[in-house]
């Protein structure tokens, strides 16, 4: 008897989108002799081990195996650790993060709330006795101590397990030390709250007091015996956590870092290296002005190094600001209509590149991630992201094949991680002096399908688009259309990478022509493109319609049967499409949609829409639950499926419930699919599988598609 193979939805869920087993989280030793990374044992194994690759001999060894360290016991995660993983969208298990000393000889990590260290040369690991549960342990640069957070206190312990002590303990239940607050982790890309001095003698430490933050209650209706979870949530226009910063010695003596926290309350980025004084990036609440400050760690005084202003908003970028080894300021800025890399006061790139992140800074160059700039972008470059070396002599592209690339570098060794359209998953190559020497093996499963995707542009604004047809489709008969966007800030969906299009291809194979369009507001083209949605999210819908109608001139699309699906911002966009443009969209699936932007968080929402008090018209226009949001210029009303996780603490289920109530009051057809115990991501295998199957059933019913 043969075993029936698992369906794509089940395999997609079981493998966490075919990411399990792939190497990730690389660190390169300064001398280039070792590359450290995480990888699970197979394409269905969630538990990551810590690995070390010898770049000279080419051999790999396990430095820490979570199952061995726990003796076969299952993991027990604290609520704080679960929240941290939710902010980082971490669905793995075992060792999901680690930190090293400067020499990359000692690594530390938390596992099931306990503190472990690994000797990376010897390949041995052990637990240290500490009060738990432990969060974010980080060795000192010299490897002699490990700092970590437990129960809101910043603590330090010797690398051999000696002298564990608290450096700072919370004064109340609303105060914590050494952790990032909700919006820093969710929206600013700052996942940590303490930073070691290069000399290992003291730390910078954030204090978070969330007393001013409004409390919300998140209940689990499927388990009425459980108490609701009380969470601080900084909704747009309401109070944020108060964040202060201290220099603290290993003896617990602290000095507060002084800046105008009233004018610049957001601590967005901290950098402390041997190249100069600690750097802070602090932002005004409206995010239209920010300061880069240098800190005197002896007195806590700050001096301004650079100031930025923008009439719309200022974006934050990974890896900057920082010092170059020669002490020059490295930053990314929007100047002259382009997003450029600047070292000192001099821009080193121009309109040819749209710089996304700084990956590494050496004495000779800066390694950046970038896509083609507005002047150079075209169909041939659609969806590509490359790694470049930049210095005063010019720009050199390190990644060669078309695709999406990222890199980690130290010294002469670079790990280049590349995803392409014609190869499943991603490939991690070790380069020395720019030449490949080794490929880090991946255990990720092969999806067993290759997307039939065309990357192109659509509409008057030439929005990047992906068009996917059924793999067995060879005719010219127009197909029903499924728009499958994210469509908003930080969410580029049109990428030149194989696995990014797998779910869209599966939907296409059910009999649809699937269209993915990245309109204004999505990343990757130009500052003006991203900032066009200022005070008006609904431009995202205009660009979806514009792209659809243009693509129909070149592809066999049946515009009488068009549906749309999306999650989060894409869920809001799907709801907006059905409510505002029923003349175009016959059905929609809104997954975890933001239906009332006044219920979403401060740093994200106020960046784009301002505050509800100052710009009520912006919120009303972009809302799905106000009379304006529910109005449409034409009938009939179109069916809408609303999907939402009841445990979501990012886009809370109140969004879906308010939309359903408003639709019911207006007599509009809709279905609600509540997901018990599910957060903003859906890691549960059966839930993720059945969610795809139910969506296909809804789409076929709504569009009148009968099975062949």
């Amino acid at each position: 008897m043969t075993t029936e193979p698992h369906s794509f939805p089940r395999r997609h869920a079981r493998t966490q989108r075919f990411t399990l087993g792939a190497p990730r989280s690389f660190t390169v030793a300064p001398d280039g002799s070792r590359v450290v990374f995480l990888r699970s044992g197979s394409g269905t194994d969630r538990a990551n081990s810590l690995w070390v690759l010898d770049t000279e001999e080419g051999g790999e060894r396990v430095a820490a195996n979570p199952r061995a360290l726990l003796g076969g016991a299952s993991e027990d995660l604290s609520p704080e650790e679960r929240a941290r993983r939710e902010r980082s969208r971490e669905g793995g298990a075992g060792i999901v993060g680690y930190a090293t000393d400067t020499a990359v000889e000692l690594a530390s990590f938390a596992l099931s709330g306990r503190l472990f260290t690994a000797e990376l040369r010897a390949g041995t690991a052990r637990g240290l006795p500490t009060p738990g549960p432990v969060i974010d342990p980080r060795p000192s640069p010299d490897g002699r101590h490990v700092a970590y957070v437990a129960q809101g206190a910043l603590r330090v312990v010797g690398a051999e397990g000696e002298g564990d002590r608290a450096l700072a303990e919370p004064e109340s239940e609303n105060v914590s030390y050494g952790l990032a607050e909700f919006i820093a982790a969710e929206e600013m890309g700052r996942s940590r709250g303490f930073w070691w001095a290069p000399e290992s003698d003291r730390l910078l430490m954030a204090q978070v007091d969330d007393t001013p933050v409004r409390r919300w209650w998140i209940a689990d209706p499927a388990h009425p015996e459980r108490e609701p979870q009380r969470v601080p949530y900084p909704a747009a226009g309401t109070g944020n956590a108060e964040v202060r910063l201290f220099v603290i010695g290993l003896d617990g003596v602290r000095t507060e870092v002084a800046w105008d926290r009233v004018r610049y309350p957001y601590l967005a980025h901290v950098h402390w290296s041997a190249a100069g004084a600690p750097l802070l990036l602090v932002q005004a609440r409206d995010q239209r002005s920010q300061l880069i400050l240098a800190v005197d760690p002896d007195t806590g005084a700050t001096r301004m190094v650079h100031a930025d202003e923008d009439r719309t908003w200022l974006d934050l970028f990974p890896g900057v600001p920082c010092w170059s080894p020669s002490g020059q300021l490295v930053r990314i800025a929007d100047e002259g209509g382009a997003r450029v890399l600047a070292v000192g006061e001099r821009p080193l790139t121009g309109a040819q590149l749209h710089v996304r992140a700084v990956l590494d800074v050496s004495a000779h160059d800066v390694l950046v991630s970038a896509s083609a700039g507005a002047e150079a972008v075209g169909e041939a470059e659609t969806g590509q992201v490359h790694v470049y070396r930049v210095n005063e002599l010019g720009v050199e592209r390190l990644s060669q094949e078309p695709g999406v690339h990222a890199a980690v570098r130290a010294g002469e060794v670079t790990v280049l991680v590349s995803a392409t359209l014609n190869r499943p998953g991603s490939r991690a190559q070790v380069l020395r002096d720019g030449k490949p020497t080794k490929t880090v093996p991946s255990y990720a499963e092969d999806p067993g399908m290759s997307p039939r995707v065309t990357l192109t542009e659509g509409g008057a604004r030439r929005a990047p688009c992906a068009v996917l047809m059924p793999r067995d489709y060879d005719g010219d008969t127009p197909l029903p259309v499924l728009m499958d966007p994210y469509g908003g800030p930080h969410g580029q969906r049109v990428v030149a990478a194989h696995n990014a299009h797998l779910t869209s291809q599966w939907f296409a194979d059910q009999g649809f022509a699937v269209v993915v369009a990245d309109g204004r507001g999505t990343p990757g083209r130009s500052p003006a493109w991203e900032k066009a949605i200022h005070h008006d999210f609904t431009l995202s819908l205009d660009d979806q319609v514009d792209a659809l109608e243009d693509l129909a001139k070149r592809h066999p699309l049946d515009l009488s049967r068009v549906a749309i699906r999306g999650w989060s911002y894409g869920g809001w966009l799907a709801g907006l499409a059905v409510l505002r443009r029923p003349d175009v969209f016959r059905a929609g699936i809104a997954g975890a949609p933001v239906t009332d932007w006044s219920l979403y968080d401060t740093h994200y929402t106020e960046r784009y829409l301002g505050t509800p008090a100052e710009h009520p018209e912006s919120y009303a226009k972009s809302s799905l639950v106000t009379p304006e949001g529910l109005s449409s210029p034409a009938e009939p009303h179109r069916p809408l499926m609303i999907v939402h996780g009841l445990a979501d603490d990012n886009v809370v289920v109140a969004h879906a419930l308010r939309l359903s109530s408003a639709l019911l009051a207006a007599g509009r057809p809709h279905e609600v699919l509540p997901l018990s115990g599910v957060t903003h991501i859906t890691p549960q295998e059966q839930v993720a599988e059945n969610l795809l199957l139910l969506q296909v059933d809804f789409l076929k019913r709504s569009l009148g598609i009968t099975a062949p």
Side-chain angles (χ1 to χ4, degrees):
M1 179 177 177
T2 59
T3 302
E4 189 71 21
H6 290 302
S7 66
F8 170 80
R10 173 60 65 95
R11 294 182 64 230
H12 186 259
R14 177 167 294 182
T15 61
Q16 293 191 355
R17 304 171 303 282
F18 301 97
T19 62
L20 298 180
R24 64 182 181 100
S25 304
F26 294 95
T27 303
V28 181
D31 62 3
S33 64
R34 293 177 305 285
V35 173
V36 186
F37 60 96
L38 300 177
R39 184 179 59 199
S40 64
S42 75
T44 57
D45 182 6
R46 293 179 59 240
N48 291 287
S49 294
L50 184 67
W51 293 76
V52 177
L53 168 68
D54 187 318
T55 60
E56 295 175 358
E57 309 229 343
E60 295 179 354
R61 63 180 182 274
V62 177
N65 182 320
R67 293 184 176 91
L69 293 174
L70 293 180
S74 59
E75 289 186 66
D76 181 18
L77 302 181
S78 67
E80 293 81 7
E81 176 63 13
R82 291 185 187 278
R84 190 194 67 79
R85 295 189 185 192
E86 180 69 20
R87 301 285 71 79
S88 63
R89 308 297 189 264
E90 174 60 68
I95 304 170
V96 299
Y98 68 96
T100 72
D101 60 355
T102 299
V104 191
E105 295 184 350
L106 180 73
S108 64
F109 53 91
L111 183 60
S112 196
R114 295 165 54 192
L115 172 59
F116 291 87
T117 60
E119 297 284 348
L120 298 174
R121 286 186 181 272
T124 58
R126 63 171 178 163
L128 302 184
T130 57
V134 168
I135 298 175
D136 195 25
R138 294 179 178 271
S140 57
D142 63 9
R144 297 177 59 188
H145 298 88
V146 179
Y148 65 96
V149 178
Q151 298 175 332
L154 179 64
R155 306 183 65 90
V156 67
V157 62
E160 300 295 323
E162 77 283 3
D164 184 273
R165 59 198 182 277
L167 299 183
E169 296 184 276
E171 293 80 5
S172 73
E173 64 176 2
N174 296 333
V175 174
S176 66
Y177 287 96
L179 295 176
E181 72 276 21
F182 175 92
I183 55 170
E186 183 69 41
E187 308 296 0
M188 300 183 201
R190 178 171 66 79
S191 60
R192 55 193 293 195
F194 68 89
W195 300 263
W196 278 100
E199 299 80 15
S200 303
D201 59 342
R202 48 190 168 180
L203 304 97
L204 277 170
M205 170 188 70
Q207 179 202 64
V208 174
D209 184 350
D210 62 21
T211 301
V213 182
R214 180 184 297 173
R215 263 49 180 179
W216 283 2
W217 298 89
I218 298 178
D220 185 354
H223 293 278
E225 75 280 5
R226 296 178 183 173
E227 289 189 2
Q229 182 184 3
R230 184 171 181 259
V231 298
Y233 190 92
T238 68
N240 278 314
E242 294 183 355
V243 180
R244 300 164 68 188
L245 195 65
F246 296 87
V247 179
I248 189 163
L250 297 183
D251 57 1
V253 175
R254 68 175 78 170
T255 302
E256 183 165 7
V257 177
W259 80 91
D260 186 352
R261 292 190 298 112
V262 174
R263 179 72 181 90
Y264 300 96
Y266 288 137
L267 177 63
H269 183 78
V270 177
H271 167 80
W272 200 354
S273 71
L279 283 177
L280 313 181
L281 175 61
V282 295
Q283 280 191 329
R285 177 148 179 173
D286 65 10
Q287 298 171 65
R288 292 188 289 183
S289 62
Q290 64 186 24
L291 302 178
I292 299 174
L293 304 173
V295 180
D296 182 336
D298 294 324
T299 67
T302 57
R303 62 178 176 84
M304 188 179 73
V305 177
H306 186 83
D308 287 301
E309 292 188 355
D310 192 286
R311 62 182 180 182
T312 50
W313 70 74
L314 291 158
D315 278 305
L316 302 173
F317 307 103
V320 287
C322 65
W323 296 118
S324 72
S326 62
Q328 290 185 294
L329 180 67
V330 180
R331 60 190 178 90
I332 297 173
D334 293 347
E335 296 181 0
R339 184 153 292 161
V340 302
L341 171 73
V343 177
E345 292 302 316
R346 179 182 174 185
L348 296 186
T349 62
Q352 80 277 17
L353 287 186
H354 184 77
V355 180
R356 295 167 174 254
V358 166
L359 307 174
D360 182 57
V361 182
S362 74
H364 309 291
D365 59 38
V366 180
L367 200 67
V368 303
S369 169
S371 47
E375 292 185 3
V377 73
E379 281 199 3
E381 293 79 27
T382 297
Q384 295 191 46
V385 181
H386 286 280
V387 175
Y388 297 84
R389 295 176 59 241
V390 182
N391 58 28
E392 293 185 350
L393 299 177
V395 175
E396 176 189 359
R397 199 169 93 179
L398 184 65
S399 51
Q400 294 302 316
E401 58 184 342
V404 177
H405 306 267
V408 176
R409 183 181 72 173
E412 301 302 320
V413 172
T414 302
V415 178
L416 179 67
V417 182
S418 305
T420 66
L421 276 176
N422 58 9
R423 185 177 60 237
S426 59
R427 181 174 65 187
Q429 290 182 295
V430 179
L431 313 181
R432 187 177 289 276
D433 297 324
K435 299 177 181 179
T437 62
K438 169 84 175 167
T439 298
V440 184
S442 173
Y443 303 151
E445 285 198 3
D446 189 312
M449 71 158 75
S450 293
R452 182 176 173 175
V453 57
T454 300
L455 298 185
T456 182
E457 296 176 336
R461 298 174 190 86
R462 298 169 43 236
C465 295
V467 180
L468 297 100
M469 307 300 287
R471 285 174 294 159
D472 60 358
Y473 177 74
D474 294 320
D476 297 322
T477 303
L479 293 175
V481 182
L482 176 61
M483 302 290 286
D484 193 15
Y486 180 80
H490 313 294
Q492 183 177 1
R493 288 270 285 111
V494 181
V495 292
H498 180 283
N499 284 24
H501 302 286
L502 290 174
T503 302
S504 295
Q505 183 62 57
W506 180 79
F507 273 100
D509 288 344
Q510 313 311 306
F512 297 91
V514 177
V515 173
V516 183
D518 284 346
R520 287 170 291 177
T522 58
R525 174 160 287 192
S526 71
W529 179 266
E530 296 181 13
K531 296 177 182 181
I533 60 170
H534 195 218
H535 290 305
D536 188 1
F537 280 154
T538 66
L539 294 181
S540 301
L541 177 58
D542 297 339
D543 289 355
Q544 295 293 315
V545 175
D546 186 38
L548 171 66
E549 293 176 344
D550 182 45
L551 291 172
K553 301 172 184 176
R554 291 173 274 143
H555 299 273
L557 309 182
D558 181 356
L559 295 187
S560 69
R561 294 186 295 173
V562 178
I564 183 171
R565 67 181 287 270
W567 195 268
S568 197
Y569 190 98
W572 165 82
L573 185 52
L576 186 77
V578 168
L579 296 174
R580 302 282 179 91
R581 294 301 304 270
D583 57 318
V584 176
F585 298 95
R586 267 50 177 181
I589 300 172
V594 180
T595 65
D596 180 351
W597 287 99
S598 67
L599 293 180
Y600 200 58
D601 71 52
T602 52
H603 193 268
Y604 181 99
T605 316
E606 293 173 11
R607 180 190 313 138
Y608 306 117
L609 300 181
T611 64
E614 294 176 348
H615 297 279
E617 72 290 345
S618 298
Y619 283 78
K621 187 173 184 180
S622 298
S623 172
L624 302 184
V625 298
T626 61
E628 181 180 355
L630 289 170
S631 66
S632 61
E635 301 297 344
H637 300 158
R638 303 300 187 184
L640 177 66
M641 173 186 276
I642 306 167
V643 185
H644 217 119
L646 299 181
D648 196 334
D649 66 351
N650 179 24
V651 182
V652 295
V653 74
H655 286 274
L657 297 177
R658 291 187 182 187
L659 177 58
S660 178
S661 296
L663 293 172
L664 185 63
R668 291 179 174 268
H670 67 286
E671 302 175 15
V672 178
L673 182 59
L675 305 178
S676 179
V678 171
T679 60
H680 201 56
I681 54 177
T682 54
Q684 296 89 336
E685 183 179 316
Q686 288 181 308
V687 171
E689 175 190 23
N690 290 325
L691 184 55
L692 289 178
L693 297 173
L694 289 169
Q695 289 181 61
V696 168
D697 176 70
F698 171 81
L699 292 170
K700 289 186 174 181
R701 283 189 286 113
S702 300
L703 296 181
I705 300 173
T706 57

